[in-house]
Amino acid sequence: MRDRTTEVVGPWGWFLAWAAVGACAALGLAALLSVGVLLLAAAAVSAVLLLRTGHRTTALGALAGSALPLFYLAYSNWGGPGTVCRSTATETICTDEFAPLPFLLTGVLLLAASVLVFSVLDRRRGN
């Protein structure tokens, strides 16, 4: 059964499954004081299930998934660094924002490195 599932999903499908696990774990760490424990538990259970299917090299997708929260942080701080004010018809809200560039560059590096290394390993394996 394992071979048939592997043929249907393919290595990039398993890579994306690991990316979801990595994103869940990274969000769990970021939200540790609220729902983070539940997200980390879900990521741990999913990782155990994925490790049982084989294809250990696809676990590099977890690095790609951990880049997704970094992209969100870069997007949400796009007006920064410093104090950014937004006005509506009834109110003005000011918030302090971080510089988005470190989040964006770290996310791009994680995503690019994981995809590049996985591509090289996948070609060596002959898929």
Side-chain angles (χ1 to χ4, degrees), residues 98-116:
F98 296 107
L101 197 57
F103 297 117
L104 182 64
L105 290 178
T106 306
V108 167
L109 285 175
L110 280 173
L111 182 65
S114 63
V115 168
L116 179 68

Side-chain angles (χ1 to χ4, degrees), residues 9 18-19 23 25 27-28 49 51-52 61 64-65 72 74 76 80 85 89 91 95 99 101 112 114 116:
V9 175
W18 274 105
L27 284 174
L49 292 174
L51 283 173
R52 298 178 109 209
Y72 175 73
S76 64
C85 297
E91 65 184 352
T95 59
L101 197 57
S114 63
L116 179 68

Side-chain angles (χ1 to χ4, degrees), residues 34-86:
S34 59
V35 297
V37 175
L38 296 174
L39 289 171
L40 286 174
V45 169
S46 300
V48 168
L49 292 174
L50 285 173
L51 283 173
R52 298 178 109 209
T53 63
H55 289 289
R56 305 262 190 255
T57 58
T58 58
L60 286 167
L63 287 177
S66 64
L68 294 177
L70 292 171
F71 290 144
Y72 175 73
L73 284 172
Y75 173 74
S76 64
N77 288 295
W78 199 250
T83 304
V84 176
C85 297
R86 292 177 176 84

